[in-house]
Amino acid sequence: FPQVALQFPDELLADAVEVAARMEAASGAEMYVLGDTTYGSCCVDEVAAEHVGAEAVLHYGPACLSPCRKLPVLHIFGQQPLDVGHCAEAFRELYPERQSRVVVLSDVVYAHAMGELEQQLCPEYPNIIFSRLVCGDLPGPAVPGEERKFGRQFLVEAAGGLQDYAMFYVGAEGLALTSFMLTWNRCPFSSFNPVTGCGRRETLNVNRALMRRLYLVERARDAGVVGILVGTLGVAGYLTVLQHLRQLLCRAGKRSYTLAVGKPNPAKLANFLEVDIFVLVACAQNSLLDSSDFYRPVVTPYELELACNPAREWTGNYLTDFRDLLPGACAHVELPPAVPTVEAVPDVSLITGKMRATHLCDPPTSQLPPSTTLACRDQTRALAEISPAASFLESRSWRGLDQQLGQTPVSKAVQGRRGIAIAYEDEGCEQ
């Protein structure tokens, strides 16, 4: 590849220049460093790579291993130190029964040491299973008992399935472990933190966390306006799930706005006061956003489906990968036919106590002709698309700060006030 993009997380940017120089000297290819990723650093930033015309991406550091759409990707996870002997000893203390059924998972930065750990534990534990990392989608369908999630693949041979196994995670506490525990919520979890050298049984109350997520589902049922947050532009299938969510919200009688705001934070989302709830389309690790500090709650595509699709019921299995909801996937549920309003079963909100409609409407059959959706925007004959959502937001009295570029005179920087608002240091002199 003549042009290659190098993507580094923030903690490794200090070494990016030297790495790029050595790569160019060794390969003769032109290297571009992606300094600030559009979304989470665990996802491959294909958009930034395409801006410089890169034909391949080298992704450094931790990764969510979500499959990409266009560019070939090579992951360099790095090799964080792991005391394999200490980890094996912690495993023996947590699982003294040698016939225990355990699946071993690890953070990607410790994958290099899993082979040595397997050599130490497999002779003692005949029912232990080590997962392996998978970059991209595996060809062919999964065989019975095979698990393919979060870029991990392993085969369960027990008759009772995965629920007969415990999970042992090698890595620090974080979003990856939380996603594992919510997805495989019927399995007891233990972990070993290589940084602290401590092994423990995970005490996260999974039921309490799931109750919090089900509360957000009720909030989604009450919402009338939903903001679809684009949290990734590189994960395969994101355009399909965006269209799926728009169709779902339209059938449910809710208005939707698609928003691309980069990395979501409370200040950005507080600008959209008309939105009742947000749904974040992101990779499996970043989709579980803690929205306790946000003005409006943020849910996952699976939670929005639970709220708006009457055919989908809560079974105890939680999904964080939005690709599982798409047609042809393992957890796809077709939308049921529309129900007339007079025949719809009434529903009462568990939060407000008010009546609400939960039935689906008929899909819209008539649309505006394509020629009427374009209009001349200004005297330069630039074309603009007429959007009801954009027109509504344009009618708001507050439109943000006006930059007034070139209209403000340039002035020298002067020293401002010091102190706190209740008593600045220079207030006594002015009086």
Side-chain angles (χ1 to χ4, degrees), residues 29-51:
E30 193 172 2
M31 300 291 168
Y32 295 90
V33 176
L34 307 182
D36 185 17
T37 55
T38 308
Y39 300 102
S41 60
C42 65
C43 297
V44 178
D45 196 348
E46 284 189 323
V47 175
E50 290 179 338
H51 285 170

Side-chain angles (χ1 to χ4, degrees), residues 83-299:
D83 189 340
V84 177
H86 193 184
C87 180
E89 187 62 31
F91 183 91
R92 296 185 184 97
E93 294 178 0
L94 292 169
Y95 303 99
E97 175 59 42
R98 292 300 189 263
Q99 298 298 322
S100 299
R101 301 180 183 269
V102 185
V103 176
V104 179
L105 306 167
S106 70
D107 196 349
V108 293
V109 296
Y110 302 107
H112 66 96
M114 290 300 101
E116 184 179 352
L117 182 64
E118 183 176 3
Q119 292 178 358
Q120 292 195 20
L121 294 179
C122 279
E124 304 177 28
Y125 294 85
N127 297 321
I128 193 173
I129 298 175
F130 279 79
S131 64
R132 66 184 185 92
L133 299 181
V134 177
C135 299
D137 290 327
L138 290 174
V143 300
E146 183 183 14
E147 287 285 331
R148 298 179 181 179
K149 290 183 182 296
F150 308 108
R152 275 80 174 175
Q153 184 265 344
F154 55 90
L155 182 62
V156 176
E157 299 178 352
L162 190 59
Q163 61 183 3
D164 290 343
Y165 281 78
M167 297 287 187
F168 180 73
Y169 177 75
V170 180
E173 184 178 358
L175 292 176
L177 179 58
T178 304
S179 299
F180 293 163
M181 295 185 67
L182 288 180
T183 302
W184 295 308
N185 53 66
R186 299 178 182 179
C187 303
F189 268 79
S190 299
S191 68
F192 175 78
N193 190 337
V195 178
T196 61
C198 298
R200 67 177 186 181
R201 299 192 183 275
E202 288 299 326
T203 57
L204 170 66
N205 192 335
V206 177
N207 292 331
R208 184 180 182 89
L210 290 176
M211 288 173 61
R212 166 65 181 171
R213 307 309 302 187
L214 291 177
Y215 165 77
L216 297 180
V217 172
E218 281 296 313
R219 292 288 300 270
R221 290 193 176 105
D222 293 341
V225 181
V226 180
I228 304 176
L229 295 177
V230 182
T232 178
L233 294 177
V235 179
Y238 86 95
L239 288 176
T240 307
V241 80
L242 287 178
Q243 184 62 29
H244 173 73
L245 293 178
R246 294 192 192 102
Q247 178 187 3
L248 175 64
L249 292 171
C250 181
R251 293 283 306 276
K254 304 178 187 294
R255 285 188 300 172
S256 64
Y257 301 96
T258 304
L259 309 172
V261 296
K263 299 175 183 178
N265 59 50
K268 289 180 181 179
L269 301 189
N271 292 317
F272 306 98
L273 299 179
E274 296 82 8
V275 176
D276 297 323
I277 200 168
F278 295 94
V279 53
L280 177 60
V281 178
C283 68
Q285 289 190 17
N286 290 328
S287 61
L288 287 173
L289 185 65
D290 184 10
S291 58
S292 57
D293 295 333
F294 287 71
Y295 186 68
R296 292 285 190 259
V298 182
V299 300

Side-chain angles (χ1 to χ4, degrees), residues 47-61:
V47 175
E50 290 179 338
H51 285 170
V52 297
E55 300 177 2
V57 179
L58 296 182
H59 184 279
Y60 291 83

